[in-house]
Amino acid sequence: MFRTALRNVLAHKARLLMTVLAVMLGVAFVSGTLVFTDTLGNAYRNQSAKSYDDVAVAVTTYGGQGDGKKSGVDTATLEKIRSLDGVSEATGRVSGFAGVADQDGKLIGNGWSNTGANYSPGKNGKDAAYAFTDGSGPVKNDQIALDKDSAAKGKYEVGDTVRVATNGPVKEYTLAGVFTTEDGAVNAGGSLVLFDTPVAQKLYLQPGYFKDVTIAAEPGASDAKLLDAVQPLLPKDSEAQTGSELADKQAKDIESGLSNLNTMLLAFAAIALFVGVFLIANTFTMLVAQRTKELALLRAVGASRRQVKRSVILEALVVGVIASVVGFALGIGLATGLRSAMGSFGAKVPAGPLIVSPTAVLSALGVGVLITVLAAWLPARRAAKIPPVAAMGSAHLPASTKSLVVRNTLGSIITLGGAAAIFGGAAVGKDTGRMLIGAGAFLALIGIIVLIPLLSRPVIALAKPLLHRVFGVSGKLAGKNAVRNPRRTGATASALAIGLTLVTGLTVIGVTLGQAIDKMTTDNIRADYMVTMAGGGALDKSALTALEKADGVTAVSPQQATSVKVKGTYHSASAVTPGDVQQVFDLKLLSGSLDTLGKGGIAVAEKTAKSNGWKAGDKLPVTVGDDQDGGKSATKTMTVGAIYQDNEFLSPVVVPTSLVAPFEPKPYIPEIWVKTDGGASKANEQALVDALGDNPAMSVMDRQDIRNMFGGMINTMLNIMYGLLAMALLIAVLGVVNTLAMSVFERQQEIGMLRAIGLDRGKVKRMIRLEAVVISLFGAVIGIGLGTFLAWAIGETIRSSIPNYALVLPWERIGIFLLLAGVVGVLASLWPARSAARLNMLTAIKTE
C-alpha cells in the first residue's frame, strides 16, 4: 500500500501541485515569522548585552526633568561614586530630544527617536560609548558631534555649521566629529547629537545634574559589592542595578516586544493555513472520486478499508513533507527579506547571524504535515467506505439524505450559536464584548462553511437567469455546473469567503473610524493650524510667544497639559488662553460662559460635571502646583463658569494659563492652536514657520494635515493587514484553479459531447470562465456579508468611547472587492478553460 501511495502521488503530479503550493505558502509564512523574530531578538539581545559589557552598575533617576526641581545625581555624588573602592570609572549621562536639520532645513530622522545626549570623556580623554570616525567629541558650548548615518543624510562634514532644535529655538553649532554607535535611537532610524556635558545638562535637566550614571569596575571587583556601596549615596528617586541585571531585563523587554509582532504574523499564517485546509480537502476529495474504480479493485483483491484509508493518508503525508520542506526553505528567504525590508522603513537592525532554531524547524514542518494529513483524513475515510461492487459499477454514491440532514442541522446550530454570541458581545461592549464577538465570529464562520453547500443552490440560482440571457448556452451550462457538486463549490467558495470576511470587516471598521475622526476634527476645531514637536515632546514657552507675534495671527492658545486637585481629587486639566480658546476650539456650551476664564473661573466637561454633581456657578476649592519635594502649591476658590460638551482635544477641566504659570516654570505644552486672518493659506503657514525660526523639529499642520495624521495611521494599518491577508487570498485563488482543473478532467466525456453537438471552443472557454466567476462571486458575497456583520458588532463595543461614531459602509470598496473576486475567477479559469477547449472531442467521448 505504501508503494501504491507513492505511485499515486507521482501519477497525479500536476493535480497535487496546487495543494503543494498552498501548504508551501502557509509553512513559509510560519517558518519565516519564527526565523525572523528569532533573528531579530538574538541581534537586539546581543546588542543589549554588548552595551553593558563594561557596565558593573547602572543608575537611573526618575525625577521630573525640567520642572524646576533639583532631580538626578549631582556632580558631588558622582565624585563620591568615583572614589569608591573597586570603581574604575563613573560616567554621568543626560539625554532628551534633539532634531537635526539637513541642508534643506528638513528634519533628519523620524522625530520620535531623534535624541541628544552629553559627551563624557573619561580619564583617557575618550567616551567609550562612541567610536569617532572623523574629528573628536564636543568640548565647547558651540560644538556638537553627529552619528555617522545622520551626518551622511545631512551631507555634513567636520567643521560645517549644523542647525539643531531641542524644545526651544533652533541654534547653530559647529560639527566637531562624526561617530558610530550601537545606540537604540540610531538603530530605530533616528539621530543622535552629542553636546558638551554642561550644555546637555542645561538643555535636559539642571546644571550640575545627571539623569543616569554608568559605573565600570576595576579588574576583580565584585559587581554586587559595588551595587551595595553605591546605593546609600543615591537620591530617593533613583534605581541601581548591576549591568548583568539590566542586560537581562532589556533582553526580556525585547522578547516581550517581539512576541506581539510574532503573535500577529503567526495569526495571519494560521489564517492562510486554515484557508489551505479547504484546498487540500477539495483536492483529495476529487482525487478519491476520480480513483473510485482503482480503490474498488484494491478492495476486491484483498485490501481492507483501513489499508485504503491509510494509502490516501500516506499520499497526504508525502505531499505534506515535500511542501513543508520547500516552504521552510522559502520561509528562510522570507525572513531574510523581512530583515532587509526593515531598512527601507528607516530601522537599522543590528548585525547578527540568521537564527534557525530547532523549534522553528519542527514547528513549521509539523504544522505543514499535520494540516495536510488532517485535511486529507475525511476524504480518506470516505474512500474507505465505498463498497467495491458499487464502485466497480461506477455507481458513485451520492451523500445520503441522513448525512445531508445531519450536516445542515449541525451547521445551522453552530451558525445560530455564533450569531447569538456576536449579538451578545455587541450588547455587552468593551473588552468582554469583543471577546464574545471573537468567539462568535469563529463559530459563525465554521457554521457557514458547513452550510455553504446548502446555500450555494439558492444563491447561485438567482444568477442563472442573468447568465442565460447575457451569455446564452455557455451561461446556462456554467450555472448548472456551478451547483452540480454543492460540496465542491462550497469548499472552493469557503476559501474566498474567509479571506473576504476579514478584509471586509477590517475595511468597514477602518473607514468608519476614519470618518468619525474626520468629523471629530471638523466639529471640535476652529483653529487653522496646530503646532507640535516632531518628536511628540513639549513645546517651549518661547514658541507660544513667537506665534503670538506672528503676522496674520488673530488668536493663539496652548493646550497646556497639567492637573488640578478639586476637593482632594486630582483631575487632568488643559491650561488655555482666555478669549482665544473660543476662537481655536468649537466648544459647545451647555451652560455658563467661557468669558469667565478671564475672571477667575474654570470650565468643566459635561461627563466630569455630572459625575461630581457640579453645575455652572458652583464655587470649588482648586489646588494647583505640587508641594511635594519642596515644590509650591496654592489653593484658590474658583467658580465653575461654564459646562461644555466633552471635546476630544481638551482635558475634562479647562483653566486659564495664568492660574498655573507661577507653579510651572517649564510648562508641558504638547500643542499650540492658531487662528489666522483669512484662514489656512501658504502665506499664513510660511509666516508661522518663519516666526518659529524655521525650526525643523516643529510641525505646522492645517486641518487637512490633522485629518491625514489620524486617518493616515488607520490607512497604514489597513494596508499592512491587506498585505498579510493577500497570502490567504492567493491560496483561495489556487483553490479555484484546482477545482476547475479537476472538474474539467472529470467532465472530459461531457465536454467532448458538447463539442460534438456544436459548442465551439470559444463557448467552452466561456462556460468554464463563467463557472469560475460564479463560484468566486458566491464566496465573495458570503464573505462580504459576514465581514460587514462583524464590523457592525465590533463597532458597537467602541461606540461609547468614540464621539460621532456611525457605521459607514464603503460601497465603492465593497464594489472593488466584488470586482476583484470576478477577476480572480477569470484568472483562475485561464488554464482550465484552455485545457477544456483543446480537448480532442473524439478522444474525450471515448474517455470513461
Side-chain angles (χ1 to χ4, degrees), residues 472-529:
V473 174
S474 296
K476 183 177 182 180
L477 291 171
K480 288 185 175 181
N481 289 334
V483 294
R484 175 184 291 184
N485 189 330
R487 281 187 173 177
R488 182 186 301 168
T489 298
T492 306
S494 294
L496 275 172
I498 294 167
L500 280 171
T501 294
L502 298 169
V503 168
T504 304
L506 290 170
T507 300
V508 173
I509 285 288
V511 170
T512 299
L513 287 175
Q515 291 210 11
I517 289 170
D518 191 65
K519 194 170 187 302
M520 178 178 72
T521 304
T522 305
D523 288 355
N524 293 330
I525 298 174
R526 288 180 178 172
D528 297 312
Y529 296 98

Side-chain angles (χ1 to χ4, degrees), residues 28-49:
F29 213 146
V30 172
S31 57
T33 296
L34 294 173
V35 172
F36 173 63
T37 51
D38 284 347
T39 299
L40 213 59
N42 180 71
Y44 280 119
R45 278 193 298 273
N46 287 343
Q47 181 196 52
S48 175

Side-chain angles (χ1 to χ4, degrees), residues 119 147 215 220 253 292 345 474 594 597 625 755:
Y119 175 70
D147 69 273
I215 303 165
D253 290 341
T292 301
F345 292 100
S474 296
L594 289 174
L597 285 174
R755 290 289 317 283

